[in-house]
Amino acid sequence: MTSSTAYQQLEACFTRLHRYAHLGAMAGWDQLTMMPEGGNEARAEAMAELSVLMHETLTAQETRRLLDEIDPASLEPEQQANLREMTREVRDATVMPPELVEAQSLAGARCESVWRRCRPANDWEGFLPTFREVVRLSREEARIRAEALGCGRYEALLQKFEPGLNLETLESIFDDMRQWLPGLLSEAVAHQRGGELVMPQGPFGERDQRRLGERVMRWLGFDFEHGRLDVSLHPFCGGVPDDVRLTTRYREDECLTALMGIIHETGHARYEQNLPQQWRRQPAGRARSMAVHESQSLSLEMQLGRSAAFVRQLRPWLVEALGDQPAFEADNLIRLAQQVEPGLIRVDADEVSYPAHILLRYDIERALIEGEIEVEDIPVRWDESMQRLLGLDTRGNYRDGCLQDIHWTDGSFGYFPTYSLGAMLAAQLMAAARRAEPQLDARIAEGDPGLLLDWLKTNVWQQGSLLETPELIRRATGEALNPEHYRHHLRERYLG
Amino acid sequence: MTSSTAYQQLEACFTRLHRYAHLGAMAGWDQLTMMPEGGNEARAEAMAELSVLMHETLTAQETRRLLDEIDPASLEPEQQANLREMTREVRDATVMPPELVEAQSLAGARCESVWRRCRPANDWEGFLPTFREVVRLSREEARIRAEALGCGRYEALLQKFEPGLNLETLESIFDDMRQWLPGLLSEAVAHQRGGELVMPQGPFGERDQRRLGERVMRWLGFDFEHGRLDVSLHPFCGGVPDDVRLTTRYREDECLTALMGIIHETGHARYEQNLPQQWRRQPAGRARSMAVHESQSLSLEMQLGRSAAFVRQLRPWLVEALGDQPAFEADNLIRLAQQVEPGLIRVDADEVSYPAHILLRYDIERALIEGEIEVEDIPVRWDESMQRLLGLDTRGNYRDGCLQDIHWTDGSFGYFPTYSLGAMLAAQLMAAARRAEPQLDARIAEGDPGLLLDWLKTNVWQQGSLLETPELIRRATGEALNPEHYRHHLRERYLG
């Protein structure tokens, strides 16, 4: 077989995997938005079976044989990039025993289902048994991956979401942040103290909020021919690039949380909807990594969505959808969007306290995976960190404490740090977009976010995984990931 | 390998197929209820890939080898039944070339999507090109299956939905019906003439109608822990036994159509939800056939749902949900539920004109598959039959004519006859249930359909595919399928 025939066969294999993943993405979306609870066991079984199938396909001897037969020098540059991504995926899958993959999928789905019951009931004890099994399996995964990659256990899980990120780099960024974040947070709180803040008065109907959200999504270029907006307990962006499913959750007494959540998920969605069309079915056509993904949601939510210029654009629509009230006065709206107030819930956290939530989870999950603590130790660790980092007492409140996130339920340890890396990258991208498009802020102030969106489309979305993350960042911004842009952004917005 | 090990391995293989089917069922439900139109191409690809995978699994040499190794005598009786169903499925799949399976799945999904656009636009010409391809592939399928089964081409497609039904039996039943149906229909229309009928006055809100529908579903024992109700262009019952998804469509100016549609689909749903739990993942645990399935929907909609006793139970709920009005007076409601009025739309047809719609489609699809006519000939045939059987002029009205059904779009030729076979079986089952439970009608009149539902559960639902259809009917009713019960039921209700 020639090298080029082998490459074509490998593309066909990955196209098949892409289509299997489509079915899994839709079953997963349905599970969190539509599925009645009694359907969970059968769904978990079906999704686990799909995981096994995909794992078998990826690790088949034939797949590895094809990879070996290809001479990269015979390929076009973009094909070479695709081959690099294929190789990594096969390697990441080959190290995992199929029984472990299946056990994780099953345990994850069960634990998610238990979590959906236990969280509202504040039932940490009820959550523990299924969660303990998830942790046991994740530790096993970390051990196996660490051995194969020749790195640390937690680091090995981190690299599932952020290929090539070593723990030392992350440690140095997070240690740096540990130094300045608490000070900046209290300065920001002090800075805002005394500023009069009028809170919106509900009730705000779900239907009105949804219509407003859809209008903002359209404004941000979301394509409703290839996606939709629904409700789930924990907001997420799922589906496939041709059919992106994003969710939010509405509260009757509040209207900005759901709206900002929608803007956030729209950032993820636009990235997915604008991945390179000609690479759609291949690894090179996928979103780059979790941190890059999060940088897109935060570019839209934090860099754009909570800026004074953007909030002024929102005001008339908010009034039209929900009626006018003193809280919707423009300057008050801006203060609301930029209010710094340490709170219990990560997804509702403001931009300044958010990294503290991440540091807390990072410390706990790292210790948990490295075997330094057990699941029983989580609440005490949680309470202690919340007190230290955010000055909040969370004792006994599991619902809004360590039960608040869905991530750990299916064993996604190593994911949380990517949120803060994404926030840093978003600030760096915004700075680069401003340099490239000097009219960017003026145009946003006129109600047109097009310059920013087009710049992101060209420099991030359309790149898919054709470049590796450091190269993507360097080409887009002219330098490596540099957290200083983030610190600068926070100081400008919150202490300026 | 021992025979019993081979059997266990075969069960494991069919469990895997069951889980793959779960993913397909959910993707299919989503496609018709939730999916934005732009998602269709990727969905069609993913579902076609799944069809190929399932076909490959079913026809793998290993599967056939296992089948050969099993000595049926070494199995328990229920395992023998399961083996019989497995054998039939493997045989039905083995005759089909994988390329044809994939081409059909792709062409079907495309045609369905085109249909969704063309039907509201009354655009028969726009529908033709994609539909022509579907017919071409179905003819190819019919040719291959007929050769393998040694039967006629249309008969071979019929047997996909109604295993073991030969065309001669069907012909004789339908020829018989051709004799008495037109007379009974005009007699029924004449019988009702002059009876005063007050039509319900809308608008009826979708949300109110849905709540009413859900209440009736609960009354009929639908388990909302394992299913849900949604909206689609063409009502259907999909999903999986652990998570049954049924749909209806609402009209603002009308309220009984959607409600009766819900009762109909609830019949399908209760069958699915009550299939034998211990055989859930195996062929023996599936619903028996399409005619048996339809007999369950019609037992609930026609035998029970439109009976005077049941309609009297509905009245207070209708009033509570939609407010009172003259049309909701009990005797008028009964006349509405039992109104005979030849109309254009099959799914909205009354019980007496419904079989005419089936005869029409049966004649056309049989001629189409046998190559006696081409797709271009359908409208003329349609117009001519509608005039002859129902006295209606449909010329130029494709929307409410030959474009009204979804079935042909994905090549489900041979399906339509099962609707009328189901209606006949429903009447026969009801007669048997009445003999077995003399209090059945009295209890329904008191508001409790439990005796009927329990009898169906024991005699039909819990049987799954453990018995073959003729044996299922014989054990439940003491005789073979006998259309006389149906004719008797129609005469009693509409000429009595």
Side-chain angles (χ1 to χ4, degrees), chain A residues 30 43 45 207 245 281, chain B residues 22 45 207 245 281:
Chain A
D30 182 272
R43 180 64 51 86
E45 279 184 25
R207 191 183 295 208
R245 306 288 174 98
R281 296 170 189 80
Chain B
H22 176 124
E45 280 184 25
R207 191 183 296 208
R245 306 288 175 97
R281 296 170 190 80

Side-chain angles (χ1 to χ4, degrees), chain A residues 139-444:
Chain A
R139 283 173 170 174
E140 177 66 7
E141 178 186 0
R143 191 188 60 75
I144 291 170
R145 290 192 184 280
E147 211 171 279
L149 295 173
C151 67
R153 294 188 179 189
Y154 179 71
E155 190 172 24
L157 296 188
L158 195 62
Q159 297 211 354
K160 283 167 61 187
F161 307 106
E162 217 41 55
L165 176 66
N166 66 55
L167 195 58
E168 210 183 322
T169 307
L170 182 68
E171 264 300 322
S172 97
I173 289 173
F174 276 15
D175 279 348
D176 175 62
M177 195 162 69
R178 260 185 247 276
Q179 303 307 310
W180 53 260
L181 184 69
L184 200 152
L185 181 55
S186 32
E187 270 189 86
V189 170
H191 189 78
Q192 293 187 349
R193 196 164 294 145
E196 196 193 346
L197 196 63
V198 187
M199 300 309 290
Q201 299 300 315
F204 301 108
E206 179 169 326
R207 191 183 295 208
D208 297 329
Q209 290 194 61
R210 197 191 66 226
R211 280 208 202 102
L212 171 63
E214 287 173 346
R215 185 168 182 181
V216 173
M217 285 166 73
R218 271 190 205 93
W219 190 29
L220 294 170
F222 183 87
D223 175 6
F224 279 95
E225 275 293 290
H226 291 92
R228 46 180 290 149
L229 168 67
D230 293 277
V231 169
S232 70
L233 192 58
H234 193 103
F236 71 98
C237 174
V240 296
D242 288 303
D243 183 2
V244 175
R245 306 288 174 98
L246 62 83
T247 70
T248 191
R249 56 180 171 198
Y250 301 100
R251 285 168 44 178
E252 251 212 342
D253 61 333
E254 224 276 324
C255 60
L256 286 180
T257 308
L259 183 60
M260 287 297 165
I262 287 172
I263 296 174
H264 179 98
E265 301 303 338
T266 301
H268 287 305
R270 287 227 57 193
Y271 187 9
E272 288 290 320
Q273 287 184 332
N274 290 280
L275 287 164
Q277 190 68 45
Q278 68 276 30
W279 288 102
R280 182 126 300 179
R281 296 170 189 80
Q282 295 295 313
R286 300 202 193 129
R288 183 54 274 186
S289 69
M290 290 303 119
V292 177
H293 230 308
E294 191 67 10
S295 78
Q296 297 314 290
S297 55
L298 295 176
S299 288
L300 263 55
E301 184 199 347
M302 295 300 178
Q303 297 296 323
L304 176 67
R306 294 181 188 269
S307 71
F310 188 86
V311 171
R312 283 186 209 283
Q313 304 302 319
L314 275 184
R315 181 185 133 69
W317 293 3
L318 205 61
V319 168
E320 197 183 312
L322 308 173
D324 206 357
Q325 56 172 285
F328 293 170
E329 182 271 322
D331 287 336
N332 189 68
L333 263 186
I334 295 166
R335 281 195 296 273
L336 282 169
Q338 299 183 351
Q339 190 195 4
V340 178
E341 190 178 30
L344 300 176
I345 305 296
R346 177 184 59 82
V347 293
D348 297 339
D350 62 79
E351 201 178 3
V352 189
S353 24
Y354 196 98
H357 288 273
I358 297 306
L359 285 175
L360 173 155
R361 285 158 179 78
Y362 164 69
D363 290 341
I364 292 176
E365 69 178 16
R366 184 178 163 180
L368 194 62
I369 293 301
E370 302 285 8
E372 295 160 14
I373 63 170
E374 294 303 321
V375 287
E376 290 78 3
D377 304 322
I378 292 176
V380 170
R381 281 275 197 137
W382 191 283
D383 296 339
E384 185 274 323
S385 294
M386 285 300 283
Q387 192 62 57
R388 183 167 41 81
L389 290 162
L390 291 164
L392 297 170
D393 184 355
T394 50
R395 284 171 298 177
N397 186 356
Y398 308 109
R399 204 173 93 100
D400 301 327
C402 51
L403 275 180
Q404 74 183 263
D405 295 309
I406 201 173
H407 303 59
W408 288 345
T409 65
D410 74 347
S412 292
F413 300 101
Y415 188 111
F416 279 121
T418 67
Y419 287 117
S420 283
L421 296 174
M424 290 166 188
L425 181 53
Q428 183 168 340
L429 289 168
M430 189 66 169
R434 281 194 173 112
R435 288 196 303 274
E437 301 286 359
Q439 294 306 306
L440 189 138
D441 284 302
R443 293 280 285 278
I444 290 171

Side-chain angles (χ1 to χ4, degrees), chain B residues 404-448:
Chain B
Q404 73 182 264
D405 294 309
I406 201 171
H407 303 60
W408 289 345
T409 66
D410 73 347
S412 292
F413 300 101
Y415 189 111
F416 280 121
T418 66
Y419 287 118
S420 283
L421 296 175
M424 291 166 188
L425 181 53
Q428 184 168 339
L429 290 168
M430 189 66 169
R434 282 195 172 109
R435 288 196 303 273
E437 302 285 359
Q439 294 306 305
L440 188 138
D441 285 302
R443 293 280 285 279
I444 290 170
E446 289 159 25
D448 174 15

Side-chain angles (χ1 to χ4, degrees), chain B residues 10-18 58 86 89 281-283:
Chain B
L10 211 51
E11 275 208 347
C13 170
F14 275 87
T15 295
R16 210 159 75 236
L17 281 163
H18 168 82
L58 208 49
M86 288 168 162
E89 284 196 26
R281 296 170 190 80
Q282 295 296 314

Side-chain angles (χ1 to χ4, degrees), chain A residues 22 26 29-30 34 224-230 240 242-245, chain B residues 26-47 109-110 112-114 116 231-232:
Chain A
H22 177 125
M26 287 304 156
W29 170 83
D30 182 272
M34 299 287 157
F224 279 95
E225 275 293 290
H226 291 92
R228 46 180 290 149
L229 168 67
D230 293 277
V240 296
D242 288 303
D243 183 2
V244 175
R245 306 288 174 98
Chain B
M26 286 304 157
W29 170 84
D30 182 271
Q31 189 176 37
L32 296 173
T33 55
M34 299 287 158
M35 190 189 75
E37 196 173 322
N40 197 59
E41 188 69 25
R43 179 65 50 86
E45 280 184 25
M47 290 176 72
R110 281 198 193 112
E112 239 179 70
S113 170
V114 168
R116 274 193 272 172
V231 170
S232 70

